[in-house]
Amino acid sequence: MPDSPREKPQRKVRADYVLKDAVEEVRTIVCEVVDDAEVGDHLGYRVDEERLLTHFFDCLKPGYVGWHWAITVSRYPRSKRVTVSEIDLLPGKAALLAPEWVPWEERLKPGDVGPSDVLPYRQTDERLVLRRDTDRDPDEAPLARLRILSEEGVGETKQRWMRFVRSRTKQAKSPASCASCGFLVSLEGSLREEFGVCANEWSNDDGRLVPITYSCGAHSETDVQKRGSEWPITPPRINELDLEVIEDVEDASADSLT
């Protein structure tokens, strides 16, 4: 079996002397499209191909620390005219770079979405599960949901709601909890075992989420403890033994005139 042919070693391309020495000429061409103050010192060159070379200049553009201008130049055979093929602004090893791009739907946080914003559809969401894949009863009007909370979604919701409620509410010293309050609007599914919505306008949590173990002074079945007056009233005491008789005023005045 004959030996396989050996690969010929690639010939090292030498720097074209016309392109290599055209530093100032390249700078002049670049400054026609770039502000002079943004082009710094010449940093060197790189040989790309025969009669194809790239010059590097320091970038002085504000905000582009560590970046450099890369200008690729070429020339025709037997011609000494330098032609600029491409101008690029490239980062160096110590360049300041923008953070890695993150898609919009992954950059959003719960507080970033306003009432008029519309979130992109997420076909795969661990927090949701198709209703047909569960053993729950179908929705009744007016509900008609395709997906509902999964077990993971329910768990995350419980933790998030509990943190939110604890940071907002301060439990009152009441013997009765929301579980026995007539103003509690119950939720659906697994969340009803721990949470509800208050519907008492006298409560500070009216229209808000509350744990069913929570209690406040506006409970429907509690009452104020009746206490007596802080100023006790004692019955009057009359001395009926010593009486001073006062004559009629008219009789007394008539006697004084006679």
Side-chain angles (χ1 to χ4, degrees), residues 94-119:
L96 295 177
L97 302 176
E100 184 178 355
W101 169 255
V102 179
W104 177 69
E105 61 270 15
E106 297 180 13
R107 282 186 284 123
L108 281 177
K109 296 181 180 180
D112 297 336
V113 182
S116 60
D117 296 326
V118 179
L119 288 175

Side-chain angles (χ1 to χ4, degrees), residues 34-39 58-67 69 89 96:
V34 178
D35 190 355
D36 299 358
E38 297 179 358
V39 183
D58 189 18
C59 176
L60 304 180
K61 188 178 180 67
Y64 287 82
V65 179
W67 289 64
W69 296 102
L89 183 58
L96 295 177

Side-chain angles (χ1 to χ4, degrees), residues 169-180:
T169 59
K170 183 178 180 181
Q171 189 162 353
K173 295 180 180 180
S174 176
S177 65
C178 293
S180 58

Side-chain angles (χ1 to χ4, degrees), residues 183 198-207 218:
F183 294 105
C198 179
N200 188 353
E201 62 179 333
W202 291 100
S203 173
N204 292 330
D205 298 300
D206 180 32

